[in-house]
Amino acid sequence: QICLSLVKLLFYLAHSPLGSIVLLDFQPRQFVMVDGNLKVTDMDDASTEELSCKEDNDCTLDFPTKSFPLKCSAAGKCEGINEKKNLFNAYRYFFTYLLPHSAPPALRPLLSDILNATGDLRYGINETMKAFEKVLHLYKSGLYLQKRPLLLRDYISLKGFRTVEGEDYKCWPSYSHLGCLLSIHSAEEAAAICNSQSQCQSFIVTQQRTWTGRPLASFQSSWTDLIPDTNAVVYIKRSASSRERL
């Protein structure tokens, strides 16, 4: 969410009515999240000036660990230097820390492609925006899910119940520090996640939604403490239910 919001912001800056705007003091502390959107807190160091040049050799974009040769345009300006400077700073301050983590395994290669392409400046902001929108579409639609045997048939569903909330086993990347609360596309995906975790014996699909509209599911190591809840459905492993009856 943070990276996508940042890309939308940089897309606007690259195509602003004032021309391409560069953030000269590009640091994480200069941004803040407001209602799920990344905002710049200080525009004092923003500029529409693009480096003047006479030849391509005048247009090297230097960073502490990398340098990029750019073209000198017919107008005597270093072509796209503001856009590329913003994008590489987004890569080194945000993408490298946030993109490799917490995405579903099937989407990680696509995010890795974005990371590598922006890190080498092979993508401009337009291509980066399209790549992010593709990942977001796959994520929201569930099209990233690989075909697999139907695992939900191994679970008993109890509508109108949930387990008592409390501290349980933890997982990564959980939305709750007290247990294992993950976003899912469907109960079928939740069943696959539960099967992959040795502690998991049951899960509840909650009414909570993430910023993409995906429901949250709570994964738990037991299911015995059930309480009525008309809005909830608890799914219990058939094997766990059989053991409990014994």
Side-chain angles (χ1 to χ4, degrees):
Q1 182 181 11
I2 293 171
C3 291
L4 176 63
S5 188
L6 177 57
V7 167
K8 288 180 178 178
L9 173 61
L10 297 188
F11 182 86
Y12 173 78
L13 293 179
H15 301 285
S16 85
L18 300 175
S20 183
I21 299 174
V22 64
L23 301 176
L24 298 174
D25 186 19
F26 198 116
Q27 299 283 341
R29 64 173 180 268
Q30 299 283 22
F31 300 89
V32 65
M33 290 292 285
V34 180
D35 296 328
N37 295 306
L38 207 66
K39 305 282 187 181
V40 183
T41 61
D42 184 2
M43 292 293 288
D44 288 346
D45 293 313
S47 173
T48 57
E49 291 294 319
E50 291 195 306
L51 187 65
S52 298
C53 58
K54 293 182 179 179
E55 56 184 27
D56 290 350
N57 288 338
D58 298 328
C59 292
T60 301
L61 183 57
D62 288 317
F63 292 96
T65 58
K66 276 191 175 183
S67 295
F68 300 95
L70 304 180
K71 297 289 184 183
C72 183
S73 70
K77 298 289 183 180
C78 293
E79 213 167 82
I81 192 168
N82 287 352
E83 172 188 330
K84 292 180 185 297
K85 188 170 186 178
N86 283 341
L87 190 55
F88 189 79
N89 278 327
Y91 158 80
R92 67 178 181 145
Y93 288 119
F94 287 89
F95 297 173
T96 52
Y97 298 104
L98 300 177
L99 283 188
H101 308 293
S102 78
L107 292 178
R108 288 175 193 166
L110 296 177
L111 293 176
S112 181
D113 288 344
I114 294 174
L115 193 64
N116 292 332
T118 53
D120 294 335
L121 285 185
R122 286 185 284 111
Y123 280 1
I125 192 61
N126 293 354
E127 295 87 352
T128 304
M129 175 74 92
K130 287 178 182 176
F132 267 99
E133 287 177 340
K134 177 183 177 181
V135 174
L136 181 64
H137 171 67
L138 293 172
Y139 184 62
K140 292 174 72 173
S141 65
L143 291 173
Y144 67 90
L145 294 169
Q146 299 169 343
K147 289 184 178 180
R148 63 181 76 193
L150 296 177
L151 301 174
L152 202 57
R153 63 181 61 168
D154 297 329
Y155 289 78
I156 299 169
S157 65
L158 296 176
K159 294 183 179 180
F161 290 93
R162 64 175 173 84
T163 54
V164 177
E165 292 183 10
E167 190 165 346
D168 206 321
Y169 77 91
K170 298 173 177 60
C171 66
W172 174 260
S174 177
Y175 282 80
S176 169
H177 68 281
L178 295 176
C180 186
L181 187 66
L182 302 174
S183 102
I184 57 167
H185 177 259
S186 63
E188 185 63 46
E189 183 181 17
I193 293 171
C194 189
N195 278 15
S196 70
Q197 298 173 346
S198 59
Q199 307 99 313
C200 186
Q201 297 299 318
S202 66
F203 64 88
I204 306 161
V205 178
T206 74
Q207 296 297 304
Q208 293 176 272
R209 301 272 168 171
T210 69
W211 65 281
T212 59
R214 287 162 56 99
L216 292 177
S218 176
F219 298 86
Q220 299 177 337
S221 59
S222 68
W223 62 274
T224 51
D225 296 326
L226 295 179
I227 57 175
D229 185 337
T230 56
N231 296 318
V233 182
V234 59
Y235 295 84
I236 304 163
K237 280 184 178 178
R238 291 183 184 275
S239 56
S241 175
S242 298
R243 286 197 304 271
E244 196 65 34
R245 284 198 294 270
L246 288 174

